[in-house]
Amino acid sequence: MSYVIRRQAELTTLEIRGLQFQLYRWPGERPQPIVFAHGWGDTGETFQFLVDRLSTLHTIVSFDARGFGRTAWPQDGYWFADYLADLDAILDALSPEAPVDLLGHSMGGNVTMMYAGVRPQRVRRLMNLEGFGLSPTTPEQAPARYREWLDEIRDGTSFTTYESFAQLEKVLARRNPRTPREYLALIARSWARESEAGVIELRADPRHKRVNPMLYQRDQAEACWRDITAPVMFVAGGLSEVAKRLADEPTASHFKRQFRDLQTIVLEDTGHMLHHERPERIAALVEQFLR
């Protein structure tokens, strides 16, 4: 059984910062868009399951981040600050005069949360799914990190290829058995394509797999979070690593202190890909938050 789409997306492209970005637009009765940002390895297209369960009042726009899905690959690699600059340019194109509601998952949650602190006047409300930030680093980690990065530059990186979409769907089902089986074909064909050689390859630049030589500075991320003025809804999957970290009271208390207006929700029986696993539950939370 394959998934039956309820709201068809309009596909458009937007050239910003020298790259062609793929956008997905689900028109609603209200023209002001809610903008969705996907996680690492994902695409904006797979928000389809969530969009289908939201009110048709909402206009939703998602996009494939640089080097993922159908968006172009940059020549000079990937740096986290570029994701903020890309989002800034996309919002300028979609809503140049009015602040927007943002929803981000995982990497997209971290991008939108930092952006909401850097450009607080551009964000009206923020919904973050599993974008908790990384663990703090220490300077002593730098030499090994640079060595690993240099080795990857020298040796190259690659993603696994597959004999067929059916094989990829089996891999997706094994990695996340909570994703409904009827969703897998849409996810597989959004994440991958058939190459000229007849194999199934991911629509993602293998350079995404390179380790970041610049150590993550959690104190800087938290400084950005403290400048957020928009209300924030943070949702974690109860079976995810994020939920385990939030179960530690000092960690949870410290996290909550970084925000002026935060509600934290843990959804039981869901993992990291909660917008694929239980989109109806996420949609209910989004509708409640937006009201």
Side-chain angles (χ1 to χ4, degrees), residues 54-112:
L54 292 170
S55 168
T56 55
L57 290 173
H58 308 305
T59 293
I60 310 294
V61 177
S62 67
F63 60 94
D64 293 342
R66 57 175 52 218
F68 286 116
R70 297 172 176 86
T71 287
W73 300 3
Q75 295 299 313
D76 53 353
Y78 300 90
W79 306 99
F80 192 82
D82 280 319
Y83 297 120
L84 273 69
D86 294 342
L87 179 60
D88 197 44
I90 288 170
L91 295 187
D92 281 347
L94 296 178
S95 182
E97 298 180 357
V100 300
D101 296 329
L102 291 179
L103 181 147
H105 170 250
S106 192
M107 182 187 79
N110 286 308
V111 170
T112 55

Side-chain angles (χ1 to χ4, degrees), residues 229-250:
T229 57
V232 179
M233 178 178 70
F234 182 85
V235 185
L239 302 175
S240 74
E241 290 299 317
V242 170
K244 293 178 183 178
R245 293 168 70 181
L246 286 174
D248 176 67
E249 180 55 36

Side-chain angles (χ1 to χ4, degrees), residues 160-190:
T160 300
T161 59
Y162 304 90
E163 295 179 359
S164 64
F165 280 110
Q167 182 189 21
L168 175 56
E169 289 176 38
K170 290 180 181 179
V171 171
L172 296 176
R174 185 172 66 250
R175 288 178 181 172
N176 192 356
R178 291 178 299 276
T179 299
R181 291 299 179 96
E182 63 266 27
Y183 295 2
L184 296 177
L186 189 154
I187 295 171
R189 284 159 180 76
S190 183

Side-chain angles (χ1 to χ4, degrees), residues 1-20:
M1 183 173 66
S2 59
Y3 182 74
V4 178
I5 292 174
R6 304 177 191 178
R7 293 177 66 182
Q8 194 69 46
E10 297 175 352
L11 275 61
T12 59
T13 59
L14 180 65
E15 184 169 351
I16 56 170
R17 308 188 65 230
L19 294 177
Q20 285 282 343

